[in-house]
Amino acid sequence: MGASKTEHFTEQQNQVATIAKALGHPARIAIIEYLLKVNACICSDIVDELPLAQPTVSQHLKELKNAGLIKGNIEGNSICYCIEEKTFNILKEYFTNIIFTVTNQKCC
Amino acid sequence: MGASKTEHFTEQQNQVATIAKALGHPARIAIIEYLLKVNACICSDIVDELPLAQPTVSQHLKELKNAGLIKGNIEGNSICYCIEEKTFNILKEYFTNIIFTVTNQKCC
DNA sequence: ATAATCCATCGTAATATTGCAATATTAAAT
DNA sequence: ATTTAATATTGCAATATTACGATGGATTAT
């Protein structure tokens, strides 16, 4: 197959999975970390920063954008990509909650 | 292509990406949530719980195990799968740190 | 106007993932 | 020893992902 049976899972499960999937590639993690580091951003910088061709970087940026992890503001000729805090907060809270639940468990 | 250029990224970037990737499927999120819910676990339960065939579930469990998100203790005939707290802590701290960094930013 | 820069999109090849039927493996029960 | 139950593995088809060259549109610089 190759296609996930998303219709069988809850909306929240699909949401978390979609966000996690978008972060499931080292290039996209590197992009996020770069955006955090420079605190302001233009795509050409990102291309210079990564060991990947420009179309590939563009594609990764698109996936991060689709997952709601970054947003891009057009700024004249170039684009200012930024971290979308809201989405990262979903993850932070999701995992914080998991840790909270697990530490109160007594399994294995 | 289809193969990630992992060798060009840092070990930490690859680590986070690998863990995130393992969570990038709703079935695997559902498995994690089920393990959290029942607080003790046997695989056959998981197969009953999910809308997927046994080999498929087994494969998803294997991927979660490879990523270090769960561990399985053999218990006679069946296997007790459990959350691996350590790995989830890595994620929790990673995203907590991102939120901390972002809130101190003034971009866009 | 022309050239240069930035970035997205298209097309395509290589590879990975998802899902399952069939089959193996392992341990408990009879 | 045989059967039964719980998982794992194998093999395969369908689909998705990754990567990049070529190309094109938009904006700025000359």
Side-chain angles (χ1 to χ4, degrees), chain B residues 21-49:
Chain B
K21 190 176 184 179
L23 290 173
H25 192 291
R28 295 196 284 268
I29 293 290
I31 289 172
I32 295 296
E33 292 184 356
Y34 184 64
L35 291 186
L36 286 168
K37 199 180 84 181
V38 298
N39 191 11
C41 34
I42 293 158
C43 182
S44 68
D45 286 6
I46 300 176
V47 172
D48 294 344
E49 191 71 11

Side-chain angles (χ1 to χ4, degrees), chain A residues 37-92:
Chain A
K37 199 179 84 182
V38 297
N39 192 10
C41 33
I42 294 158
C43 182
S44 69
D45 285 7
I46 300 176
V47 171
D48 293 344
E49 191 71 10
L50 294 181
L52 297 169
Q54 180 266 322
T56 308
V57 174
S58 189
Q59 202 173 278
H60 282 307
L61 287 167
K62 192 178 169 186
E63 275 176 66
L64 287 170
K65 206 173 163 189
N66 284 343
L69 287 161
I70 62 173
K71 60 190 166 194
N73 293 58
I74 296 169
E75 204 154 282
N77 199 6
S78 55
I79 294 187
C80 175
Y81 278 112
C82 294
I83 299 285
E84 184 81 80
E85 190 174 353
K86 248 185 306 179
T87 310
F88 279 95
N89 242 320
I90 292 173
L91 289 182
K92 179 198 153 189

Side-chain angles (χ1 to χ4, degrees), chain A residues 19-33:
Chain A
I19 302 172
K21 190 176 183 177
L23 291 173
H25 192 290
R28 295 196 285 268
I29 293 290
I31 289 172
I32 295 296
E33 293 184 356

